[in-house]
Amino acid sequence: MDVNKKEEALILVNELIQSDSKNIKLWKLRARVNGDMGNVQSAINDLRQAIEIAPREPLLLYWRARYSIEYLDFKRAIIDCNKIVDIEEESGALYYTSSAKLFRAICNYELGNRDAIIQDIGEISTEEMVFIGPVKYVVSDLIAASRAG
């Protein structure tokens, strides 16, 4: 999507949010548009609004953790990842748990928390790592770094 179309999309979503400010789908959509435009802090703020409406929605926490990592706010990302794991373990629906543990390992790597890296990586099965996809290269770097320390 080119810049003009993203700006048009942002204007449209802004108008829709004005008329339906409790719609988490709109907040999530605006976060994605903002993120795609490089407005990471705005994306995080949009997700904060959505999370205020639906605080136990793992997908919203997943996206905020992802953007927080991009924004280098590793502590915020860890908090969101912890919430994802807690919510999903309580409900039994483990859709984002592996990604949350991987994100948490990346954050702990950046923060120098070696033991936390080893714990999270150890809890992600090989099948889940393959499912997570392109980040397997990051995982192998994390494993090598944690073993070297």
Side-chain angles (χ1 to χ4, degrees):
M1 187 183 300
D2 69 15
V3 174
N4 290 334
K5 293 220 185 267
K6 290 177 185 177
E7 289 172 358
E8 289 174 24
L10 190 57
I11 291 168
L12 178 61
V13 174
N14 286 338
E15 291 172 5
L16 292 170
I17 286 174
Q18 286 180 356
S19 65
D20 191 4
S21 64
K22 298 292 183 191
N23 187 328
I24 63 170
K25 291 179 183 179
L26 293 175
W27 287 107
K28 185 174 67 173
L29 178 60
R30 189 166 87 174
R32 292 295 302 269
V33 173
N34 272 317
D36 287 349
M37 293 176 68
N39 303 327
V40 177
Q41 185 59 56
S42 294
I44 292 168
N45 291 338
D46 292 338
L47 290 163
R48 181 181 47 77
Q49 291 290 338
I51 290 166
E52 285 181 17
I53 299 164
R56 295 186 55 80
E57 177 54 56
L59 180 60
L60 299 173
L61 294 163
Y62 165 88
W63 278 105
R64 187 169 69 178
R66 186 171 174 188
Y67 285 126
S68 293
I69 291 169
E70 191 174 329
Y71 198 67
L72 306 179
D73 188 353
F74 303 116
K75 291 180 181 177
R76 167 83 262 163
I78 288 172
I79 290 168
D80 286 342
C81 290
N82 289 341
K83 287 180 184 177
I84 292 168
V85 172
D86 290 345
I87 291 167
E88 290 198 343
E89 285 179 355
E90 286 174 18
S91 71
L94 305 176
Y95 299 111
Y96 299 98
T97 297
S98 294
S99 294
K101 288 179 179 180
L102 178 63
F103 285 173
R104 205 165 55 187
I106 291 167
C107 292
N108 280 309
Y109 173 77
E110 293 295 334
L111 295 171
N113 301 328
R114 182 180 180 276
D115 291 338
I117 298 167
I118 293 169
Q119 179 180 344
D120 279 332
I121 295 297
E123 292 176 3
I124 303 172
S125 72
T126 305
E127 294 81 21
E128 290 170 317
M129 283 191 199
V130 170
F131 178 73
I132 292 170
V135 294
K136 65 184 174 186
Y137 301 108
V138 174
V139 172
S140 60
D141 290 345
L142 285 172
I143 292 169
S146 67
R147 289 183 180 153

